[in-house]
Amino acid sequence: MKKIILLLAVMLSLVNVAIAQDATKILDKTSAAIKSAGSSKIGFSVKSDGEAMTGYIKLQGQKFVMNAAGQIVWFDGTTMWNYVKKNEEVNVTTPSAAEVSKMNPYSFLSFYKKGYSAKMGKSNAKEYEVILTAKEASAPYKQVVVRVSKSTSYPTFISMTSSKGGTMSVSCTSFAAKQNYTDATFRFDKKKFPKAEVIDLR
């Protein structure tokens, strides 16, 4: 009896490893697809803390600019500018990796192999579902759920639950690859926002 139980335990552990490998491979393909797309523009709708909004994000490597609900965030890989239209203010910071991840819903592509375990969720005919669970309490998100198109490998839905319990869900509504951006795309331009007060918090 003990041998049977041990055999079942070994088989179960092997199945779990295989599932984790499959889940990671799916995200590997997603990461490769995003990189292959080059500079891209992604339309999205977001639900967070009972609020809903729509917007877009332009990506180029680690750089991005996100525009949603009267707020624009630029990140050039080092410096972040956060503009809020209703206040006409721009906060300038040098963000940590965790702070960047809160602004960029596609940040999971940079950390899914570091400190997270991956398993398959409820996939269907069109999409895979991958569930990422943090191994440490200090991780920026305790759980991330990603749905990926089987035909394109692009993410279609992302749900991120923070360590404090708040959840943000992002549905991808459009994806345009091979865009042409300059470095200036990812930096705040004072000339375009002459009334904005710049507050340097660096």
Side-chain angles (χ1 to χ4, degrees):
M1 186 68 177
K2 289 183 179 180
K3 288 184 178 180
I4 294 175
I5 293 174
L6 179 60
L7 179 59
L8 289 173
V10 171
M11 290 176 66
L12 182 60
S13 67
L14 289 174
V15 168
N16 287 336
V17 169
I19 290 173
Q21 287 176 340
D22 286 344
T24 301
K25 284 180 180 178
I26 288 169
L27 294 186
D28 286 344
K29 288 183 178 179
T30 297
S31 180
I34 294 290
K35 289 178 181 178
S36 178
S39 300
S40 56
K41 181 178 179 179
I42 304 168
F44 60 76
S45 60
V46 177
K47 291 183 179 179
S48 178
D49 299 326
E51 296 183 358
M53 67 186 80
T54 60
Y56 66 81
I57 185 169
K58 295 178 180 179
L59 296 172
Q60 182 173 277
Q62 296 300 312
K63 303 175 185 179
F64 69 87
V65 55
M66 183 181 67
N67 190 327
Q71 182 177 10
I72 306 175
V73 180
W74 297 263
F75 181 63
D76 67 358
T78 302
T79 303
M80 182 179 287
W81 295 264
N82 192 337
Y83 167 71
V84 179
K85 185 177 181 179
K86 68 178 181 179
N87 299 334
E88 283 295 344
E89 288 183 354
V90 181
N91 289 326
V92 187
T93 59
T94 303
S96 64
E99 290 169 332
V100 171
S101 71
K102 290 178 181 179
M103 291 295 180
N104 181 1
Y106 296 87
S107 60
F108 75 91
L109 292 172
S110 65
F111 65 63
Y112 71 91
K113 288 185 177 180
K114 301 174 183 178
Y116 287 80
S117 59
K119 68 177 182 179
M120 297 301 298
K122 297 179 180 179
S123 302
N124 57 42
K126 294 183 178 180
E127 298 172 325
Y128 296 111
E129 184 178 81
V130 176
I131 300 173
L132 300 172
T133 304
K135 296 178 180 178
E136 303 290 341
S138 59
Y141 296 98
K142 66 179 182 181
Q143 187 178 78
V144 179
V145 178
V146 184
R147 294 178 194 153
V148 177
S149 167
K150 289 184 177 181
S151 61
T152 66
S153 291
Y154 294 148
T156 59
F157 174 85
I158 305 161
S159 175
M160 309 176 85
T161 302
S162 72
S163 54
K164 295 181 180 180
T167 299
M168 175 178 71
S169 61
V170 181
S171 296
C172 308
T173 57
S174 64
F175 192 103
K178 307 298 182 182
Q179 302 296 292
N180 293 317
Y181 301 136
T182 65
D183 289 342
T185 302
F186 307 99
R187 296 185 184 128
F188 170 72
D189 185 349
K190 176 63 176 176
K191 293 179 182 178
K192 295 181 180 179
F193 303 89
K195 296 181 180 179
E197 179 186 0
V198 179
I199 303 172
D200 197 330
L201 301 175
R202 291 173 292 182

